[in-house]
Amino acid sequence: MDDVHAFMALHQRSLYLSRYYGKKVIILLDEYDTPMQEAYVNGCWEELTAFIRNLFNSTFKTNPYLERALMTGITRVSKESIFSDLNNLEVVTTTAEKYEDSFGFTEEEVFAALDEFRLSDEKKM
């Protein structure tokens, strides 16, 4: 696949999903930073950053069918380099309190799961 088709792939998919469901799409991008780390280690950083910049621009910045996006990774997002074209970026780390009640399991949910799988004796207070 040439770069232009790759740049437009998620943009076009967003269009089709938006038309089909009648609403804007949410894009989840897990481990966005893995290819970047590999490119850095293997000496093709410049080539990848140019590609990613264009991909992110067409997928996230100029995509009228996008409601919102969530990117996960272990590398902190910087407003520099490939992310400089993106707006409204918010960095939320695993220690941030903002979404602490939105992810993971409550103690009650964990205990219920242990009971369901007959592992009640694994409960520790």
Side-chain angles (χ1 to χ4, degrees):
M1 174 185 305
D2 63 54
D3 285 358
V4 174
H5 283 101
F7 300 152
M8 295 307 298
L10 289 171
H11 184 95
Q12 289 298 110
R13 177 150 302 171
S14 299
L15 163 67
Y16 303 142
L17 289 169
S18 181
R19 283 183 182 170
Y20 185 82
Y21 288 104
K23 56 178 117 175
K24 292 184 175 187
V25 301
I26 297 172
I27 295 178
L28 307 175
L29 178 58
D30 189 24
E31 295 189 33
Y32 77 90
D33 54 341
T34 300
M36 294 170 28
Q37 291 171 359
E38 290 296 318
Y40 183 78
V41 169
N42 293 303
C44 51
W45 176 255
E46 295 300 321
E47 182 179 330
L48 180 75
T49 55
F51 175 82
I52 293 291
R53 188 176 292 118
N54 287 319
L55 178 70
F56 282 8
N57 187 294
S58 65
T59 302
F60 301 122
K61 185 170 184 175
T62 62
N63 186 347
Y65 313 105
L66 179 68
E67 175 67 28
R68 69 183 61 199
L70 175 68
M71 296 174 20
T72 67
I74 60 170
T75 306
R76 185 174 181 90
V77 171
S78 171
K79 288 279 197 164
E80 310 303 323
S81 187
I82 63 171
F83 298 107
S84 61
D85 284 346
L86 299 180
N87 300 322
N88 303 316
L89 289 178
E90 180 178 354
V91 175
V92 180
T93 66
T94 56
T95 59
E97 294 180 6
K98 183 170 184 173
Y99 298 107
E100 68 182 4
D101 62 346
S102 300
F103 300 101
F105 300 98
T106 64
E107 183 177 66
E108 182 179 312
E109 291 168 330
V110 171
F111 286 172
L114 288 170
D115 291 342
E116 182 176 340
F117 289 99
R118 296 185 198 104
L119 297 170
S120 299
D121 56 332
E122 297 294 322
K123 294 179 187 176
K124 292 182 174 65
M125 296 285 203

